[in-house]
Amino acid sequence: MSKELFKPNVNEDLNRLHNVSLTEGQLSTILYIMEGYIQGNDDYDEDSVFYQDVNSIFDELQGVVDKYYAQQSEVN
């Protein structure tokens, strides 16, 4: 039996949205690791795509947590 080359049947789309379930602790870990990675990183320049991507990820992840706590404060 020989190996066959994997050929995906779905085109790659780096802008495709995915829904994932993460705990607040997992979100916190991701944000913490990202903050550590960008400190002193030469690629983290305000004009770079990397900078824009990292900031949009920060905004999205932090926004989820902020939205949760805003909803909780409305309930209480």
Side-chain angles (χ1 to χ4, degrees):
M1 183 166 157
S2 63
K3 283 187 163 183
E4 291 184 32
L5 180 63
F6 174 72
K7 294 181 183 174
N9 58 1
V10 176
N11 291 332
E12 181 178 63
D13 179 2
L14 296 178
N15 293 313
R16 183 179 296 122
L17 294 176
H18 293 274
N19 294 318
V20 297
S21 296
L22 297 171
T23 66
E24 189 171 334
Q26 291 168 325
L27 291 171
S28 178
T29 299
I30 292 168
L31 292 169
Y32 177 79
I33 289 170
M34 288 177 61
E35 286 174 350
Y37 182 80
I38 62 174
Q39 287 181 357
N41 189 313
D42 294 337
D43 295 328
Y44 195 65
D45 180 286
E46 289 187 24
D47 296 326
S48 71
V49 173
F50 177 67
Y51 176 88
Q52 295 168 5
D53 286 345
V54 168
N55 283 341
S56 69
I57 293 168
F58 268 108
D59 291 344
E60 187 71 26
L61 294 179
Q62 190 61 51
V64 168
V65 175
D66 292 344
K67 183 178 176 182
Y68 172 80
Y69 281 106
Q71 290 174 342
Q72 291 302 308
S73 67
E74 290 175 6
V75 171
N76 297 327

